[in-house]
Amino acid sequence: MVLRIFGLSIVVTILALIAAFFYGGTTALFLTLILGILEVSLSFDNAVINATVLRRMSEFWQKIFLTVGVIIAVFGMRLVFPLIIVWLGARLNPVEAMRLALNPPTDGSQTYEQIITDAHPQIAAFGGMFLLMLFLGFIFEEKEITWLTWIERPLEKIGKLDQLSVVVASILLIITAEFIAPDDERSTVLFAGVLGMITYIAVNGLGELFNNDDDDDPDESADEHAQAQRTPGVDDAASVADAELRRSGPSDLAKAAGKAGFFLFLYLEVLDASFSFDGVIGAFAITADPIIIALGLGFIGAMFVRSLTVYLVRKGTLSEYVYLEHGAHWAIGALALILFYSIGTHVPEIVTGLVGVVLILAALVSSIIRRRNEPADAKDHIEV
C-alpha cells in the first residue's frame, strides 16, 4: 500500500530533480530538494486536516482532489499565484512578471522578490483569518473526545454563545491591524482579513448546507437499519467502537457527493492555499526563481502532501490515533497567530514549521499512550 500511494510522488520527485538539474545544474537541483523537504516538513498539519475533510467526500470527489486539486496546487499556488501578486502589485502582466523573475533588474528597480514580499501583509491577513476561523470552529464545538481537556472543555462551554468564532476572530483582526500592522497597511490588513473570514463562512457554510441536504435521510436510514440488525448483548462492544468511528467521519452512505462534494473540494483548495501562502513567501528566503519554487514546493512538496493525505485516509490513521486531529487544529491556530504576528515582524520559517511538528508529535504520542492504556473497544469518550 505504501508504495502504491507514494509511488507517483517518488517518480515525480525524481523527474523534478532531473528537470532542475538540466535547468540550473547542481545548484538548482540542491535548491529544489531543499524546498521540497521544507514544504513537506511544514505541511504535516495540512495533510492531517486535508484527511479529516477528504474522508467525508465520495470516491469521485476524492479522485478530483487528487487530480485536479494537484494541478491547482502545483501550478496554481506555486507558480501562477506569485505571478498574480506581481501582476496586481506592480501592474505587470504574467509574461512580464515571469521575465522579471527570471531576469532580476540590476538598475535598482523593484525586483520580483521585493514585490512578493511587499504583498505579505494582505496575504498573511487573508490566510491567517481563514485558518483562525477553522481553528475556532473546531475548538468551540462540542466533541466526544478531547485531548487538552483542561482547556478544551471550558472552550466548548463558552462556544455555545452564538457566533463566538466571528467575534473572537474579529477582535484579533482589529488588534493585528491596530498594533501589529504597519501604519500604511492597516486598511489593507483589515480588508484582507474580513475577506478571509467571508471566504471561510461562505465555503464552509455552503459545504455543510448541501452535505446536510444530501445526506440526512440516507444517514438516518442507515442508523435505523443498523439498529434493527443489532443483536442485544453481542454487539455492545462493536457499537462503542463504531460510535468513535462515526465521531471521526461519516459512513460511506453519508459521504459527500454532488454539490456537497464540490463545496468540500472548494473548501479544501482554499484551505490548501491558506497553508501555502507562508511556504511560498518563505521560499524566497532560499531562491526567487519561480521555476525552482514550482519544482520544489509544487512537484515535490505538494505531491508528497497529497500522498500523505491519502495514506492517512486509506489507513484509517485518524480513527486509530484520535488526537491527531486535535493536534493539527492546535497547529493551525498557532500558524494563524504566527501569520498575524508576521505582518509586523518577520518570523523565521523554521519556527513556523517546528510549532506545527511539535504539536502533531505531541498529539501522536498522546494517541499512542491512549491506545496502549485503553482496550480498543472500551470507550468512545476519553479525556486526558
Side-chain angles (χ1 to χ4, degrees):
M1 173 181 281
V2 174
L3 183 59
R4 185 170 68 252
I5 292 176
F6 288 92
L8 180 59
S9 296
I10 295 173
V11 172
V12 170
T13 296
I14 294 173
L15 294 176
L17 293 176
I18 293 174
F21 177 78
F22 282 104
Y23 173 73
T26 55
T27 300
L29 186 150
F30 177 74
L31 292 176
T32 299
L33 183 61
I34 291 298
L35 287 174
I37 295 173
L38 176 66
E39 177 75 358
V40 174
S41 64
L42 293 176
S43 301
F44 279 110
D45 48 357
N46 189 5
V48 174
I49 296 300
N50 282 351
T52 64
V53 179
L54 190 65
R55 63 183 176 174
R56 295 166 54 193
M57 300 165 69
S58 67
E59 184 177 351
F60 170 79
W61 282 106
Q62 288 184 8
K63 290 180 179 179
I64 291 295
F65 173 72
L66 297 172
T67 52
V68 177
V70 167
I71 296 175
I72 295 174
V74 173
F75 293 101
M77 285 307 303
R78 275 73 177 186
L79 181 61
V80 177
F81 173 69
L83 295 176
I84 292 176
I85 292 177
V86 176
W87 172 40
L88 297 175
R91 299 297 187 267
L92 297 176
N93 63 52
V95 175
E96 293 173 338
M98 178 65 76
R99 187 180 297 114
L100 177 64
L102 297 176
N103 301 284
T106 57
D107 57 358
S109 58
Q110 198 172 30
T111 65
Y112 180 83
E113 180 180 359
Q114 289 172 335
I115 297 172
I116 298 292
T117 303
D118 290 344
H120 177 72
Q122 51 264 47
I123 294 173
F126 179 92
M129 181 56 67
F130 188 92
L131 295 178
L132 180 63
M133 289 293 294
L134 173 61
F135 167 71
L136 293 176
F138 175 82
I139 210 65
F140 284 147
E141 73 176 359
E142 292 187 12
K143 296 174 286 293
E144 295 180 10
I145 299 175
T146 58
W147 178 36
L148 305 176
T149 304
W150 58 278
I151 187 172
E152 289 184 11
R153 285 304 184 206
L155 288 174
E156 288 179 10
K157 292 180 180 179
I158 64 174
K160 295 179 180 179
L161 294 173
D162 192 34
Q163 300 300 322
L164 182 61
S165 296
V166 175
V167 173
V168 173
S170 300
I171 291 174
L172 288 176
L173 178 61
I174 293 172
I175 292 174
T176 300
E178 184 66 26
F179 299 104
I180 297 178
D183 293 339
D184 58 342
E185 295 284 357
R186 288 180 178 175
S187 59
T188 302
V189 167
L190 280 173
F191 177 79
V194 171
L195 186 60
M197 180 187 295
I198 293 173
T199 302
Y200 174 84
I201 294 174
V203 176
N204 185 57
L206 287 171
E208 291 184 353
L209 172 65
F210 286 110
N211 192 41
N212 290 336
D213 288 345
D214 291 345
D215 298 332
D216 281 345
D217 292 339
D219 201 26
E220 289 175 4
S221 62
D223 287 342
E224 292 173 359
H225 177 73
Q227 188 68 24
Q229 297 296 323
R230 182 178 177 275
T231 303
V234 176
D235 296 329
D236 291 332
S239 63
V240 170
D242 289 342
E244 185 171 325
L245 183 59
R246 287 195 299 273
R247 153 71 184 92
S248 58
S251 65
D252 289 337
L253 287 175
K255 294 276 181 86
K259 294 178 181 178
F262 170 75
F263 282 107
L264 281 179
F265 169 75
L266 191 61
Y267 175 85
L268 269 178
E269 291 306 314
V270 178
L271 179 61
D272 181 69
S274 299
F275 274 104
S276 301
F277 290 152
D278 195 49
V280 171
I281 298 297
F284 285 93
I286 298 175
T287 179
D289 192 309
I291 303 300
I292 296 178
I293 290 176
L295 289 173
L297 297 186
F299 284 94
I300 297 178
M303 284 296 298
F304 265 100
V305 172
R306 287 301 196 277
S307 295
L308 183 59
T309 299
V310 174
Y311 180 82
L312 293 175
V313 174
R314 298 288 185 266
K315 293 286 290 183
T317 305
L318 299 182
S319 297
E320 296 179 8
Y321 302 98
V322 294
Y323 301 134
L324 275 180
E325 184 177 356
H326 295 73
H329 278 90
W330 280 102
I332 285 175
L335 176 58
L337 295 179
I338 289 173
L339 283 173
F340 282 152
Y341 182 75
S342 69
I343 292 174
T345 304
H346 174 69
V347 179
E349 287 69 33
I350 187 65
V351 174
T352 305
L354 283 178
V355 169
V357 169
V358 168
L359 288 169
I360 292 293
L361 288 178
L364 177 61
V365 171
S366 298
S367 299
I368 293 174
I369 293 175
R370 180 242 181 203
R371 283 172 57 83
R372 289 179 177 176
N373 293 340
E374 299 291 337
D377 58 353
K379 293 182 180 181
D380 67 326
H381 178 80
I382 298 177
E383 299 181 357
V384 295

